[in-house]
Amino acid sequence: MSAPHDAHPRLRVEAVAKRFGPTVVLDEVHLQVAPGEVLLLAGSNGSGKTTLLRCIAGLVRCHGRVTLDGEPCGRSARSRLRVGYLPQAPGLPTWATGLELLEMFGRLRGVRTLPDELPEGFLPPLGRPLVTLSGGQRQRVAIAITLLGSPDLLLLDEPAANLDEEGRAGLGDLVAAVRDRGASVLIAAPSPDDLGRIPDRTVRLVEGRLQPAVTPPAENGDAGGAASVSYLRPTEEAG
């Protein structure tokens, strides 16, 4: 179920801009995500998706303002604990086992149990070092780490990478469970086709500029089946 159109935004991105030298990577981006909403940020390679997620997570300095429930996002230890960030390349140590990594990151977040949203059978054998696991199995471990502590905002950079059909189905189930508990989810992916019907709404980043938001048509929608389109402005609520 998508977030209501009049919901107060949990995540608000206002006029976020980023340059690397003379290159403009993000150009005055405005974005909002409501509680219980899954927003897909689509765009080709080099469009600025990863940089935007890193700006939101507080890992990259940028111009503009990013807030989580009205407070600066990613600036304090408390706000960082409210955000779960899955990098495009997690870079987990391959000599460690999945269990060791979950325990280590769990201690950092003050939790000792696996995330409730993980579907049964989603995780690979946790007693094996990551070096013995496939790319898709390592991705499943990284996703589980991102969910530790039940963050209010998930930032997922190409979470379906390396996942097989079963893994993508599990990803859809866990994102739905996260949405159902009221968390907000922002997913970056090259194409909406990569995630099927998981997102409630899609925006496209083209050369650092945000394009119209698109709401997928309902399964039993109108005869035309056209998706609704809206433009996000700094003063509008997420829709």
Side-chain angles (χ1 to χ4, degrees):
M1 179 181 296
S2 61
H5 285 254
D6 60 351
H8 184 76
R10 167 162 287 143
L11 172 68
R12 190 190 293 268
V13 176
E14 299 175 282
V16 165
K18 179 65 182 178
R19 287 175 176 264
F20 289 110
T23 303
V24 177
V25 181
L26 297 173
D27 187 6
E28 299 288 320
V29 173
H30 295 272
L31 184 71
Q32 298 174 3
V33 186
E37 181 180 29
V38 180
L39 177 64
L40 172 63
L41 179 67
S44 59
N45 295 338
S47 60
K49 304 185 304 297
T50 293
T51 300
L52 180 57
L53 262 61
R54 289 175 60 82
C55 288
I56 295 171
L59 300 174
V60 172
R61 291 184 178 274
C62 61
H63 294 284
R65 179 176 169 84
V66 180
T67 56
L68 186 64
D69 289 327
E71 300 293 330
C73 185
R75 298 290 181 86
S76 66
R78 178 181 176 276
S79 69
R80 286 193 292 271
L81 286 175
R82 298 186 61 202
V83 179
Y85 172 56
L86 175 71
Q88 187 176 11
L92 297 172
T94 57
W95 48 262
T97 67
L99 181 60
E100 289 170 338
L101 290 170
L102 285 164
E103 289 178 340
M104 179 182 71
F105 283 98
R107 285 195 295 271
L108 293 174
R109 287 188 167 266
V111 296
R112 296 184 177 182
T113 58
L114 289 175
D116 294 334
E117 298 91 353
L118 289 175
E120 184 176 355
F122 182 79
L123 287 173
L126 293 179
R128 291 171 50 182
L130 262 61
V131 70
T132 68
L133 302 179
S134 70
Q137 289 175 317
R138 296 182 195 184
Q139 183 74 346
R140 295 185 190 209
V141 173
I143 291 170
I145 290 172
T146 306
L147 294 174
L148 288 169
S150 300
D152 295 319
L153 172 66
L154 284 182
L155 305 172
L156 308 179
D157 198 348
E158 300 196 24
N162 296 318
L163 294 182
D164 56 17
E165 184 175 349
E166 179 184 352
R168 291 185 180 220
L171 174 65
D173 290 343
L174 69 86
V175 169
V178 168
R179 173 173 52 197
D180 288 347
R181 69 167 169 80
S184 305
V185 186
L186 177 58
I187 303 175
S191 168
D193 297 337
D194 295 337
L195 295 165
R197 301 192 62 82
I198 293 176
D200 300 310
R201 187 163 54 91
T202 298
V203 294
R204 185 173 293 277
L205 202 59
V206 179
E207 296 182 348
R209 295 183 178 182
L210 209 61
Q211 302 300 311
V214 179
T215 303
E219 291 286 354
N220 298 315
D222 57 36
S228 63
V229 178
S230 62
Y231 290 85
L232 296 180
R233 301 298 184 200
T235 57
E236 292 181 356
E237 301 298 328

